[in-house]
Amino acid sequence: MGKNLTLPTFTDNPFQIRLSFHKIIDYLRTLPGSDYNDLLQEIDQHRELSEGITEIEQITRNSGLIRELTSPLFPAMLSKNEIKAISVPYQGLIFNYSDRFREILQDAGEDYEISIRNFNDHQFYIFSCCLILNRFYGKFVDFTRPLFCDIPTSAGYTRHYRILYNADFLEILSLREVPSLSESDITELLNSYDNLDLWKQKFPREAWLMKGFAIMTLVDVTTENAVSELKSDLMGSGNEPDLHLKLESVFRSLFRIKSVRIGFSSYDEVQGKFRNISFGQKIESFLLAHKNKEDLARSMFSEATERLSKHDTYFTIADTEAFIAAHAASITAKNFENFQIGSFILAPIIKNSSVLGYLELASPTKNDFNSVNANRLDNVMQFLTDTVDRKITEFKNQVQAIIQSNYTSLHPSVNWKFEREVYNLFRTAESGQEYYLKEIRFRMVYPLYGQLDIQNSSVTRNSAVQLDLLNQLIWLNEIFQTSLPFFSEDTILGIRIWIEQNITELNTGLKSNSEQQIQRYLDLNVHMHWKELSAKELTTPINDYLAGIDQKNGDFYQNRRNYEETLKRINSRLVGILDERHREIQEFFPHYYERFKTDGVEHNLYIGNSIYPGNTFTRTDLERVRLWQLIVTVEMETDQRRNKQFLPYQLGLTALILVYNSPISIRFRMDEKHFDLDAAYDIHYEIVKKRVDKAHIKGTSTRITEAEKLTIVYAKDEERVDYLNYLHILQQLGILKPEIEEFEIEELQGISGLKGLRIGIHSGIEGGNYTGLYQQAYDLLVPNPIEL
C-alpha cells in the first residue's frame, strides 16, 4: 500500500470519518455495457468498499480492488509524472500512491511522516465546521488557504509541495437532527475564531458523517517557496542571529543541492574598494578572507568585473579544480583550496547602475553551480538588491548618526558657508548646468588652544585598581582557607598559592597587565565553576564574593567606580563652565569652537575675518578672546579646587595654554567630517599641541605644568610681551599671584625653541562668581584697531 499509511491525524472533530468508494461505484453502475460488470460483482462481495471502511486492515485486504476501481483516476501513463494518492482531507490516511509519489517518500527516508505545514487541531475543527455551515446552513464561508508540506531528500535539501484536494467523491451527512443556528449565533461564531469551545458547543463531536475519499495531489513549488522564504527573511529586521543559516537553507532548496555556503562582499565604487560588511550577520566573504584581501578581490574580478557590472550577469566557476590547475599561482585559486570550494557563483548586486556588492555562493562539489543553473538567481536578485540597498542606507545613516552624536556637527559660526555652497549647487542645477561642490576653507584664522588636565589621573586609577584587586584576593583567600567540596585538594592548594603570590606582587605595585591577567585566571579557574553551582551548593561567603565582582554594584569595583565617578563629575563641571562662558564670547565675535573630554577638557578656537566676514576683525578682538581664554581657564581651575573636597578622589588640575601668533588656514575634511589644518606648514602647530603637555623644563625633570598654576607656552618674543600684559591685568584683578616663572622647554621630537611662563592661581574670588570680572578685564585692555 505504500509508506505513511496511518490512522486519521485529527481525532477531535465534528465528523465521523468513513472511507468509502460508493460514489465511484455508483457511477460505474450507471455506465452502459459490461466493461465493469466483473469488477462490480467482486466489489459486491466486499460491501465495506461502498458502505464504509472502518479498519486499516480492510484497505490492505482490498488494495487490489481499490487500485482497479480507481484506475480511471490514476492513469498508469501519468504515474511517473503525477504526485497523487487517495486520502481524506487534512488527515494522515494516505494510500494508493502514484509511482512518483512513492519514490519521493522512499527518498525522504523511513522515519519521515508527511504532515501539513502550520496546520493544527484548532484549524481543522474550525475548517470542518465551515464545511458544515456551507452545506447545511446556506452560509458561504471562505475558509480556503494554501496548504503545504515539506519533504526532505536524500541529496540533503528539502522540497516543498502545495497540497491540492479533489473532494468530488466526498459527501457530508447529518447523523442527528441539525442544530438550529440563528443569524446571531453564526455572527458570533464568525467573530470568535479563537474560541474553540464555542465552536464545539455549536458543532458537537461526531454529529456529522464525512463519507467517501479525496484525491490528494502535490505540486512541486520548491523554487516558489524558496523565493517566498527569502523575501520574508529579507523583509524582516535582518537582525536575527541565524539569518545566514536560513538563507543558506533557502539557496539549497532553490538550487536543489546538498551543501551551499553564502558570502557577501560590499563594494565602494567611489574608492574602488571591497569591504566585508555583513550588517550584523555571520556572513563572511570568501574573497576577502585572505590577508591580501584587496589583491585577492582584484585578482578575482580581473576577468569578470566588466561582464558583471556592465551586463548584469553572473560569473561562475563550475570546476574550481580545473581553475586551480590553470591558475596555480593566483591567490584566488589558493583561497578556493583553503575553503574547499568545488564550484562557485559570483552575482553582482546592482542598483541604478551602481554596484553595491557581490553575492557569493559556494559548494564543495564541482558542477553544483554552473552557468546554466546560475540563472535561477533571476528569481531572487531583485529582493536581494532592494534589501542590500536598504541595509547600506541604514548602515550609512547609523554611521552618520554616531558621528553627529559623538564627534561634531556643523558649528553655527561656519554653517553659513556650507549653506551658501549648497545654494550654489541648486541654483546651477536649475539652470541645467553641472556644478561640483567646492571644498570649504577658512583662511587667515588665529588658533587658540587650551587644556585642563586632571593631575595624576593615571596614578590614581592604578591605585584604585590595586586596592580593588587586593580587596578581592584577600576575600577570596579567606574562602579558600575552608573546605570546598566542589574543588579537589590539589586545586585548592594551587589556587591559594596563586592568590598569595599575586597579593605579594600587588603590594609592591600594579603592573600594566595585572588587572587583565588576574581577572582572566579567576574567570577560568574560580568564577566559571561557582556560577554553575545551584543555590543550595553556594555558601554565604561565596554568594557575598560573587555579589562583589559585579562591576556596577560590587564591593570589588568600588575604588574603580569612585575613580570613574570623579572623572565624570570633574569633566561635567569643566564643560559646563566652558560652554556657558563660550556662548558669551561667541556673541562678541563669532568664531569656530570645539572641545573634547579626555582626562580633563581640551578646547580649540579659530577666529578671523574669513569665518565672520560681516565684521572687521581687529587686534583688539584677538586680544579680548585671548584674555577670555585665560580667565575661563582660571575659573575652571579654581572651581575644581573649591569642589574637589566633595569628590571620591580629591584630584587637582593643571592648566596650559598654547600661543600661536601666526594665522593659519583650516579646511573641512569631507571624508572625516571635521576641520583640519589646510597647509603643510601649519602642521607644526598641531604637532606642538600633541607633544607639549608632557614636556619638561629644559635641563630638569620637572614638568612644565603644575597643579594650581597656569602655564603658557610660546615661541616668539612678541608673544611673551603680549601675554605678560594679559597676566598683569589678571594680577590687578586679584586672580593670579604676583610671581611669574620664565623658563625654556626641552627639545621635543621635531620641536625646539619653545619657552614658557608659569604663574600661580589664587584660590578664587569670593563666591566663585567670575561673571563681572570678564568685563573688568576687557576694560583694562588698550584698544588696538589694527585690522588682522
Side-chain angles (χ1 to χ4, degrees), residues 479-492:
I479 294 176
F480 273 87
Q481 300 295 329
T482 62
S483 176
L484 298 174
F486 29 79
F487 285 115
S488 68
E489 290 184 6
D490 289 343
T491 300
I492 292 174

Side-chain angles (χ1 to χ4, degrees), residues 290-336:
H290 193 276
K291 62 181 180 179
N292 298 318
K293 56 187 179 182
E294 285 297 328
D295 294 337
L296 172 62
R298 289 194 174 90
S299 171
M300 183 73 213
F301 291 109
S302 59
E303 62 176 282
T305 299
E306 179 68 21
R307 179 154 54 97
L308 284 169
S309 60
K310 300 301 182 184
H311 301 289
D312 201 13
T313 59
Y314 312 115
F315 179 73
T316 60
I317 300 178
D319 185 356
T320 58
E321 186 176 340
F323 178 86
I324 293 169
H327 306 82
S330 80
I331 54 179
T332 305
K334 293 176 183 176
N335 229 40
F336 283 151

Side-chain angles (χ1 to χ4, degrees), residues 498-516:
W498 178 88
I499 292 173
E500 290 169 0
Q501 287 176 343
N502 278 274
I503 289 175
T504 301
E505 290 183 7
L506 285 172
N507 279 321
T508 62
L510 184 75
K511 296 179 181 178
S512 60
N513 60 348
S514 295
E515 184 178 11
Q516 291 76 19

